[in-house]
Amino acid sequence: MPSFLRKLKWPDLVILAVLAGVFGYVALTVEGKLNYDWRWELIPNYILRYRTDTESWFANLLLQGLFATIRISLYSSVLALILGTILGLARTAENLTVRLLARTYLELLRNIPPVVIVFIFYFFLSAQLIEALNLNAWARDIARGENTAVWEFFFGDMRRFPSMVAGVIVLALFESAFVGEIVRAGIESIPRGQREAARSIGMSRWQEMRYIVLPQALKKVVPPLANQFITLIKDSSIISLISVQELTYKTVELVASTRLIFEAWITTAAFYFVLCFGLSMLFRRLERAR
């Protein structure tokens, strides 16, 4: 018997039974009062589908959306980490102007609804950047080429590449505010005596940060950064509002075309749960191994 089952006590079993009863009651209520016809047998075809003409399996709507969510989350987290580290350093800078600018950016993003921020960044920044770099024409040229397998592996459908870039930029700019505060807290957690000792032996501020402060601060901020990465995955659903074709957007498409309302959204919720819970367990294990 698995170890987690051996740890279960009778209150845990009662809670599980109550949860099962609640889910069963909701399912029966939906089917009875709303006269809803459950069609779970159709959902697997929208995850993986067999193509008879090529005799091969291909990822359908939901799996395409899941892959897009993973790609966007990875790229956004890297960009958010870079921007957030810069913001965290700016928040602890000696120059008052730099500190005020960084704090203004952080406070604005942390106190404005994310939906508003997404639209502001999209229309005033990422859309303008994509047009300036002429990414639409570049992505179309690659999509028309022959060797697109590598590009599609990293970026998905290249015809949708500009919208993915827009989503990555918007999500990274939003999440960088939270990463910046985490980095700032990590830097300020280092005892001031260590910094003064570094200055007393002739280290510059850059050397002090590089050799004394940042190595210790990074160890302290890894757990909250891991939690922020999981939050970023869940926040990625917001960018479906700007037509980025990630998991939530694909689910909306599926519901609109098939009317599989409950089946589609429950499946999507399960995808998000498995992804986020799996990463949570992984980060917890890595934290214990440190």
Side-chain angles (χ1 to χ4, degrees):
M1 183 181 294
S3 58
F4 75 94
L5 289 179
R6 289 198 298 267
K7 294 179 181 178
L8 292 177
K9 306 297 182 183
W10 70 264
D12 302 317
L13 298 175
V14 171
I15 292 172
L16 290 175
V18 170
L19 288 175
V22 169
F23 284 121
Y25 173 77
V26 171
L28 291 173
T29 302
V30 169
E31 185 175 359
K33 293 186 178 180
L34 298 182
N35 198 24
Y36 187 79
D37 183 22
W38 294 94
R39 293 178 292 167
W40 282 106
E41 69 278 2
L42 299 178
I43 288 296
N45 284 330
Y46 293 100
I47 300 174
L48 272 176
R49 191 163 188 171
Y50 185 75
R51 182 174 291 170
T52 55
D53 55 345
T54 59
E55 297 184 348
S56 61
W57 292 90
F58 70 97
N60 211 347
L61 282 175
L62 292 177
L63 200 56
Q64 290 171 10
L66 179 62
F67 290 154
T69 294
I70 293 172
R71 292 189 191 100
I72 290 169
S73 299
L74 285 173
Y75 302 147
S76 298
S77 64
V78 173
L79 185 56
L81 180 61
I82 295 171
L83 295 175
T85 301
I86 294 172
L87 287 169
L89 291 171
R91 284 280 281 116
T92 58
E94 294 180 339
N95 188 291
L96 179 61
T97 302
V98 173
R99 291 204 309 272
L100 287 177
L101 288 173
R103 182 170 182 176
T104 301
Y105 178 86
L106 293 173
E107 294 298 337
L108 281 174
L109 264 67
R110 293 173 63 209
N111 294 286
I112 295 178
V115 174
V116 177
I117 293 172
V118 164
F119 281 117
I120 290 174
F121 278 148
Y122 176 69
F123 289 111
F124 291 98
L125 184 59
S126 66
Q128 305 299 326
L129 181 62
I130 288 170
E131 185 177 348
L133 296 176
N134 199 22
L135 287 182
N136 286 300
W138 178 77
R140 282 196 301 268
D141 290 340
I142 292 178
R144 291 169 185 160
E146 296 181 356
N147 300 320
T148 61
V150 176
W151 290 100
E152 289 179 353
F153 176 78
F154 287 103
F155 304 111
D157 187 355
M158 289 305 295
R159 293 171 298 180
R160 306 292 181 185
F161 179 75
S163 66
M164 191 197 79
V165 171
V168 167
I169 293 173
V170 167
L171 196 58
L173 289 172
F174 171 65
E175 295 293 335
S176 65
F178 299 93
V179 174
E181 278 298 281
I182 292 172
V183 173
R184 177 201 60 80
I187 291 173
E188 292 183 348
S189 68
I190 305 304
R192 195 168 186 84
Q194 295 190 29
R195 307 178 73 169
E196 292 174 352
R199 297 286 181 90
S200 68
I201 60 175
M203 281 189 175
S204 65
R205 177 169 174 79
W206 166 246
Q207 290 174 324
E208 167 200 328
M209 295 297 291
R210 181 182 177 184
Y211 297 110
I212 305 296
V213 177
L214 286 180
Q216 298 180 75
L218 288 177
K219 291 181 180 179
K220 295 185 176 183
V221 302
V222 166
L225 283 178
N227 291 331
Q228 190 60 40
F229 176 62
I230 294 174
T231 302
L232 185 149
I233 294 174
K234 293 181 286 186
D235 288 344
S236 66
S237 61
I238 300 174
I239 60 175
S240 64
L241 297 173
I242 55 174
S243 300
V244 179
Q245 298 198 4
E246 43 73 66
L247 182 55
T248 301
Y249 186 92
K250 292 290 189 180
T251 305
V252 173
E253 278 190 342
L254 177 59
V255 170
S257 61
T258 64
R259 309 304 298 171
L260 297 171
I261 301 172
F262 291 102
E263 297 92 335
W265 285 115
I266 291 173
T267 304
T268 297
F271 276 144
Y272 277 117
F273 175 80
V274 170
L275 183 59
C276 295
F277 184 74
L279 287 172
S280 177
M281 293 296 100
L282 175 62
F283 291 145
R284 190 177 302 175
R285 189 175 294 271
L286 291 175
E287 186 178 345
R288 289 174 181 171
R290 284 194 306 134

